[in-house]
Amino acid sequence: MPRILEALNKNVERWALLVFYVMLVATMFIEVLRREVMAYSSIWGEEIVRYSFIYLAWIGAAAAVRERGHIRIDVILEYVGPRVKALIYIFGDIVMFGVALVALYWSFETVLVSAKFGSVTHGLRVSQVWFLAAVPIGFSLLILRLVQSFIRDIHDLRHGRPVYEGDKLFD
């Protein structure tokens, strides 16, 4: 069981990103063919592409937190020691955690309002809750990854190891 959890922890964002990316590209390809060959396009195709892209963005944000892949100004980090570097990363994670908690609260509020009023998409006629949930799901994953990053940095700081600065998301 621990191996399954470890595999999920390591690859859940990659798998989800792959699914949404394939869905986006395949739907876009089909819609372009339908438009050019049959001079007909669907309403639902554009919606699938749009919502797949939204899920890609939010899950990708969590994956970038895990891999320390977000854009940052790191000129100062080149001139400080490992302890100060770890403290700067921890401070950044704490600030991002606070912002993510506020954003999670308000994004969840939007999902609840949509569920309360039963709003549906125009083309698919599916509850918008499924698509609005991309934001709280993304922020929940982001918060989980921030907590993991915080624990890792504290552990590295205590043991005098250099702080984790990130790996490549895709090789």
Side-chain angles (χ1 to χ4, degrees):
M1 188 67 166
R3 286 180 32 187
I4 293 171
L5 291 176
E6 185 178 323
L8 275 174
N9 183 44
K10 185 175 181 183
N11 296 313
V12 70
E13 286 100 349
R14 286 183 186 200
W15 296 331
L17 289 171
L18 179 64
V19 166
F20 286 111
Y21 188 71
V22 167
M23 191 168 25
L24 182 145
V25 171
T27 305
M28 194 179 298
F29 178 76
I30 290 167
E31 285 303 304
V32 168
L33 279 180
R34 287 175 65 173
R35 187 173 296 137
E36 296 300 323
V37 174
M38 296 186 279
Y40 173 77
S41 64
S42 65
I43 295 172
W44 59 264
E46 184 266 334
E47 283 186 356
I48 288 177
V49 170
R50 180 187 325 139
Y51 296 128
S52 294
F53 185 76
I54 291 169
Y55 269 96
L56 273 172
W58 289 109
I59 295 170
V65 165
R66 181 181 183 273
E67 300 298 329
R68 285 238 160 93
H70 279 283
I71 295 173
R72 63 182 177 266
I73 300 172
D74 58 359
V75 174
I76 296 171
L77 296 177
E78 299 297 323
Y79 298 106
V80 297
R83 287 185 74 75
V84 174
K85 188 181 284 191
L87 292 173
I88 290 171
Y89 276 121
I90 290 169
F91 175 73
D93 286 348
I94 290 170
V95 170
M96 190 183 291
F97 185 81
V99 170
L101 280 177
V102 171
L104 176 64
Y105 173 79
W106 288 108
S107 63
F108 191 67
E109 184 76 23
T110 304
V111 173
L112 291 177
V113 168
S114 178
K116 178 181 178 182
F117 291 107
S119 58
V120 295
T121 63
H122 296 291
L124 293 170
R125 307 304 295 167
V126 175
S127 173
Q128 277 197 319
V129 167
W130 294 105
F131 306 113
L132 293 173
V135 181
I137 289 170
F139 274 116
S140 297
L141 277 171
L142 196 131
I143 287 169
L144 171 70
R145 295 306 184 184
L146 282 169
V147 168
Q148 289 176 333
S149 174
F150 183 70
I151 292 169
R152 180 185 57 219
D153 290 346
I154 292 290
H155 193 260
D156 288 344
L157 185 63
R158 280 189 178 159
H159 291 87
R161 290 190 296 252
V163 70
Y164 175 75
E165 295 196 55
D167 290 329
K168 291 181 181 176
L169 186 58
F170 295 105
D171 297 325

